[in-house]
């Protein structure tokens, strides 16, 4: 396994650090059907290749790899990112038969405004931000708006929901939409240092430096060891320099 990791690490660096999805896929391609690999090694290659394919919006190619390893959730996910909800439902029904509260069931309900299941707090924590990011990257804005319309329900299950949504929207460049969710997150969790840090990031992006200082100072008042807030404070231009 150690030798395999040495083989895989440069490919991961090429994708995650070098931001070269096309080169990553080209390098991985000869090994994806190598029968000498152990199942866990084959899956590691498949996971990296499919991430690189999705980064290029090559959803059909990624879906073929997912179906090859019987990953019905991700196969259906690719169909959703293509805008084909019928195709997504085809794969996700396989999961619903195994576990009725699978996230696929909730996600389908969210993006269709037909939610008939209740996710767990951990499902929201584990999936929601990635779903927002992926829908924006895929240009599936109607699905995104449908998902966002359930925020008030989801926050009853996981109080961090507004924070998750605001953070993801902000990092994807949707600052105008992120602001309301971030402030709702602060209202919901007034003692959470992380939400003040994200408000600081938002204000910094908007060059609202006085507001940025206030919320970052509040973050540090709650948690003096929150070093990202301290580092962001140091980046704020001195008064009168802007």
């Amino acid at each position: 396994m150690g030798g395999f990791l040495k083989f895989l690490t440069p490919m991961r660096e090429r994708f995650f650090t070098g931001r070269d999805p096309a080169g990553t896929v080209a390098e991985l391609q000869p090994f994806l059907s190598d029968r000498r690999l152990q199942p866990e090694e084959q899956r590691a290659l498949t996971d990296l290749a499919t991430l690189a394919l999705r980064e290029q919006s090559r959803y059909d190619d990624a879906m073929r790899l997912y179906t090859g390893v019987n990953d019905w959730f991700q196969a259906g996910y690719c169909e959703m990112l293509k805008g084909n909800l019928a195709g997504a439902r085809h794969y996700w029904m396989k999961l619903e038969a195994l576990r009725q509260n699978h996230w696929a069931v909730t996600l389908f309900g969210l993006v269709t405004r037909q939610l008939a299941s209740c996710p767990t707090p951990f499902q929201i924590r584990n999936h929601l931000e990635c779903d927002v990011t992926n829908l924006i990257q895929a240009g599936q804005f109607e699905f995104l708006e449908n998902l966002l319309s359930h925020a008030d329900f989801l926050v009853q299950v996981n109080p961090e929901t507004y924070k998750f949504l605001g953070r993801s929207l902000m990092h994807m460049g949707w600052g105008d939409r992120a602001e309301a969710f971030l402030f709702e997150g602060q209202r919901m969790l007034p003692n959470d240092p992380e939400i003040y840090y994200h408000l600081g990031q938002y204000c910094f992006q908007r060059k609202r430096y006085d507001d940025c200082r206030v919320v970052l100072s509040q973050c540090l008042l709650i948690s003096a060891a929150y070093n990202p807030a301290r580092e962001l404070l140091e980046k704020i231009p001195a008064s009168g320099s802007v």
Side-chain angles (χ1 to χ4, degrees):
M1 190 66 178
F4 176 75
L5 288 176
K6 290 181 180 179
F7 162 77
L8 184 61
T9 297
M11 298 187 188
R12 286 176 168 165
E13 292 176 347
R14 184 168 190 169
F15 176 65
F16 290 108
T17 305
R19 306 307 300 166
D20 181 13
T24 302
V25 172
E27 192 171 357
L28 286 170
Q29 196 69 49
F31 305 100
L32 290 173
S33 57
D34 191 336
R35 297 183 180 277
R36 294 171 297 177
L37 295 174
Q38 297 297 315
E40 62 273 16
E41 295 172 341
Q42 187 68 54
R43 185 57 200 252
L45 290 181
T46 297
D47 287 343
L48 181 58
T50 47
L51 282 176
L53 288 167
R54 281 169 47 172
E55 189 74 15
Q56 302 170 78
S57 301
R58 294 173 57 184
Y59 301 121
D60 285 329
D61 292 333
M63 186 168 56
R64 279 191 284 271
L65 290 179
Y66 284 131
T67 56
V69 293
N70 296 330
D71 190 333
W72 308 127
F73 176 65
Q74 294 294 351
Y77 205 94
C78 287
E79 291 283 19
M80 178 189 70
L81 295 179
K82 288 168 52 183
N84 181 9
L85 288 180
R89 182 64 173 155
H90 166 74
Y91 288 112
W92 288 348
M93 283 180 66
K94 301 174 186 288
L95 300 172
E96 186 176 9
L98 298 174
R99 179 154 56 91
Q100 289 187 345
N101 70 332
H102 195 286
W103 179 253
V105 178
T106 296
L107 181 56
F108 187 84
L110 292 173
V111 300
T112 60
R113 292 201 182 193
Q114 299 175 12
L115 185 62
S117 61
C118 184
T120 69
F122 290 109
Q123 285 178 323
I124 294 173
R125 169 180 281 278
N126 291 340
H127 294 284
L128 193 61
E129 288 183 82
C130 289
D131 293 337
V132 170
T133 297
N134 291 331
L135 289 171
I136 292 175
Q137 287 180 333
Q140 298 297 342
F141 303 126
E142 180 180 352
F143 297 166
L144 174 66
E145 294 298 339
N146 289 345
L147 183 152
L148 295 177
S149 72
H150 292 86
D152 292 344
F153 167 74
L154 295 176
V155 80
Q156 297 178 57
V157 180
N158 187 320
E160 293 185 284
T161 292
Y162 293 138
K163 180 176 68 176
F164 298 150
L165 293 174
R167 178 167 61 194
S168 184
L169 290 166
M170 177 181 63
H171 289 323
M172 291 305 293
W174 284 43
D176 292 339
R177 297 298 304 278
E179 181 180 21
F181 286 112
L182 291 173
F183 277 107
E184 281 297 305
Q186 184 268 334
R187 180 186 62 81
M188 178 64 64
L189 299 169
N191 295 316
D192 179 2
E194 190 173 42
I195 189 62
Y196 292 99
Y197 172 64
H198 294 317
L199 283 167
Q201 290 180 302
Y202 170 79
C203 292
F204 189 88
Q205 288 179 0
R206 291 294 191 269
K207 299 184 179 180
R208 289 163 41 185
Y209 298 127
D210 288 342
D211 292 337
C212 186
R213 289 187 184 92
V214 170
V215 292
L216 291 177
S217 296
Q218 182 64 29
C219 172
L220 291 169
L221 183 64
I222 297 171
S223 175
Y226 205 103
N227 289 328
R230 199 177 306 279
E231 292 169 2
L232 186 54
L233 265 174
E234 294 173 356
K235 295 179 182 179
I236 298 176
S239 298
S241 65
V242 293

